[in-house]
Amino acid sequence: MRNVSYAMQAHFVAFAATGDPNAHHIHWIPNWPVYVDSTQNFVYNATLDDTLNLHVEKDDFRSEQISWFNARWTYLN
């Protein structure tokens, strides 16, 4: 679980410092996908045996809600 925690910190610190969560330059951490009206989500998954499971997965179960939000908050896009 230490590696998952380290990966989360690297993403968040890089984002706070540069505005880009991928600016950490650590090769074993997958890139966080750019937010658009897409169907991808970054997953941090720590297991009991400390297996590192970081990945991007399909996330479309709430696409209608995301479209509604994006249509009303266009200044964010």
Side-chain angles (χ1 to χ4, degrees):
M1 294 202 329
R2 183 178 310 142
N3 287 334
V4 172
S5 175
Y6 186 79
M8 290 177 80
Q9 291 175 53
H11 273 141
F12 295 137
V13 168
F15 181 73
T18 68
D20 178 4
N22 299 313
H24 48 71
H25 305 293
I26 301 171
H27 71 278
W28 57 268
I29 300 175
N31 280 343
W32 190 297
V34 174
Y35 178 80
V36 292
D37 194 16
S38 70
T39 58
Q40 292 184 345
N41 189 28
F42 195 91
V43 176
Y44 299 97
N45 185 9
T47 58
L48 294 177
D49 64 356
D50 202 28
T51 300
L52 184 62
N53 184 1
L54 308 174
H55 62 277
V56 176
E57 69 180 12
K58 185 175 178 103
D59 180 12
D60 62 355
F61 77 94
R62 55 187 175 194
S63 59
E64 183 179 340
Q65 293 84 355
I66 291 171
S67 295
W68 179 90
F69 179 82
N70 286 338
R72 284 150 184 83
W73 298 96
T74 56
Y75 69 90
L76 294 176
N77 294 326

